Amino acid sequence: MSNNTDSDRDPPSTDERNVKLGFYIASLILGFGGNSLVITVMSRKKQKRSIPRLFILNLAISDLSFIMIATSVTIYTYIGKIYQNSYYCRLLTPLLTTFYFVSIFTIFSMAVHRCRLITNPYRPKMRVRNAYIWIAAIWFSSLIIVLPLSVVSEANNGICYENWPSINHRKAYTIALCILQFVMPLLIIGVAYARIGIYLRRSANPQSSLPALKRRKENIQVIKTLAMIVILFVICLLPGQIAWLLLDFGGQKESEITQAVFKFADILDILHACVNPIVYGLSNKRFRRECIQHFFDCFTCGSK
């Protein structure tokens, strides 16, 4: 999600439009179902509020908001036409970018907290109150970063555009978004999870007892999950960052490449928001048990 609008892109063909429309409808259903399940399970009063649960809950809220707005607006534009006035331009794209930032900042916050928790098991744990402050800081910083986009967004003949003082201002903001949205989070996530992997390998018990083998198996599963998180982050978010950089810094030769990348960038952004509940939720055994218990309670109306 960048500071630019969709007005720079060519309209898709009929077949491509139908395929994308089907994807957005499926993403709306999948993203709504998955993230709603995470929110429901994580916010149950029976369960004690912990810092990882708060982070996962915040991630699900931001992803759900992003998916609901992005897919709904896109589906409507495929069916009808939205007249984009100044209020629309100054609200919608900045709002989507805010949810995008909240999701990414929450992901690397989870990585930092998990790294601190695993590699420093004897240090005092963070208080839940501090986690609420941390989450509030994530939302506040996301709003501040996106504020310039809301200021320069204007409408002309029903189309959104950005009225920057100069092209250099636009390029500088695009670079800043690329660093804050992708480069910095990827470095933080990569370093944090690499430290976790090294720590788990070094602390592995070489004994062949059953508890040691079980612990080693769990550590290997944790490392695989962490690797999957980094791989999905790169695959889903890198194309969009490349496309926006090509759009602002590329010449005429890169225009076709930029349009080709843009065809998949939005899809991958939405896909990343859809798979987050699966990666961060279903990879946790306790969460899986709570999901099963939730469905059991729903079908039995809460009776024992």
Side-chain angles (χ1 to χ4, degrees):
M1 182 61 58
S2 178
N3 54 310
N4 301 283
T5 60
D6 294 335
S7 58
D8 297 320
R9 311 182 206 178
D10 295 333
S13 61
T14 303
D15 293 339
E16 180 184 341
R17 178 178 176 179
N18 293 334
V19 171
K20 278 194 169 184
L21 181 60
F23 169 81
Y24 286 123
I25 294 175
S27 299
L28 179 60
I29 298 173
L30 178 62
F32 176 80
N35 287 287
S36 296
L37 176 62
V38 174
I39 294 173
T40 302
V41 173
M42 290 298 172
S43 59
R44 296 177 73 177
K45 294 182 179 180
K46 296 180 181 179
Q47 301 298 333
K48 182 181 178 181
R49 293 292 174 87
S50 63
I51 296 175
R53 295 177 72 91
L54 290 175
F55 278 136
I56 294 177
L57 178 61
N58 189 61
L59 178 64
I61 291 173
S62 60
D63 285 341
L64 178 62
S65 303
F66 177 79
I67 292 172
M68 292 294 292
I69 297 177
T71 56
S72 299
V73 172
T74 305
I75 292 171
Y76 185 83
T77 55
Y78 280 1
I79 298 175
K81 182 175 178 58
I82 298 178
Y83 184 82
Q84 302 174 357
N85 55 26
S86 59
Y87 296 103
Y88 175 95
C89 298
R90 291 180 178 179
L91 178 63
L92 184 67
T93 302
L95 186 62
L96 285 173
T97 311
T98 299
F99 292 140
Y100 189 83
F101 264 114
V102 171
S103 178
I104 293 175
F105 286 173
T106 304
I107 289 174
F108 80 69
S109 296
M110 293 168 63
V112 172
H113 178 260
R114 182 178 290 180
C115 178
R116 181 180 182 273
L117 201 64
I118 294 178
T119 59
N120 299 281
Y122 301 108
R123 290 183 60 181
K125 295 183 179 180
M126 181 188 298
R127 295 181 179 180
V128 175
R129 182 183 63 181
N130 294 336
Y132 281 111
I133 297 175
W134 191 338
I135 292 173
I138 289 175
W139 283 90
F140 180 75
S141 60
S142 300
L143 289 170
I144 294 298
I145 294 171
V146 178
L147 185 60
L149 178 58
S150 181
V151 172
V152 301
S153 296
E154 296 182 3
N156 185 16
N157 296 326
I159 299 297
C160 293
Y161 74 100
E162 297 166 21
N163 186 19
W164 290 96
S166 68
I167 187 63
N168 290 331
H169 286 81
R170 171 170 169 157
K171 289 181 177 180
Y173 190 66
T174 299
I175 293 177
L177 288 186
C178 180
I179 294 173
L180 294 174
Q181 289 178 346
F182 185 78
V183 178
M184 183 189 71
L186 180 61
L187 288 176
I188 294 175
I189 293 172
V191 171
Y193 287 160
R195 288 189 61 190
I196 293 175
I198 294 173
Y199 176 84
L200 292 179
R201 285 187 175 277
R202 288 181 177 178
S203 60
N205 195 333
Q207 297 177 1
S208 59
S209 62
L210 185 59
L213 293 175
K214 183 179 179 180
R215 181 64 178 174
R216 179 178 177 81
K217 184 178 179 181
E218 291 177 351
N219 291 345
I220 293 175
Q221 183 61 39
V222 169
I223 294 173
K224 289 181 178 179
T225 303
L226 301 181
M228 184 187 304
I229 292 171
V230 177
I231 293 172
L232 285 174
F233 187 90
V234 174
I235 292 176
C236 292
L237 303 187
L238 180 59
Q241 302 299 326
I242 294 176
W244 294 119
L245 291 174
L246 288 175
L247 184 64
D248 283 349
F249 294 91
Q252 210 54 31
K253 295 180 180 179
E254 286 84 3
S255 60
E256 295 183 0
I257 299 176
T258 304
Q259 293 294 337
V261 176
F262 266 130
K263 292 180 180 179
F264 303 100
D266 291 343
I267 292 177
L268 291 175
D269 286 340
I270 295 176
L271 181 62
H272 187 254
C274 289
V275 300
N276 277 337
I278 300 175
V279 174
Y280 289 95
L282 297 182
S283 60
N284 186 287
K285 291 182 179 180
R286 181 177 178 181
F287 178 78
R288 290 199 299 267
R289 290 196 297 266
E290 292 178 14
C291 286
I292 296 173
Q293 183 63 42
H294 173 70
F295 284 118
F296 180 79
D297 292 343
C298 290
F299 285 115
T300 59
C301 299
S303 61
K304 294 184 180 180

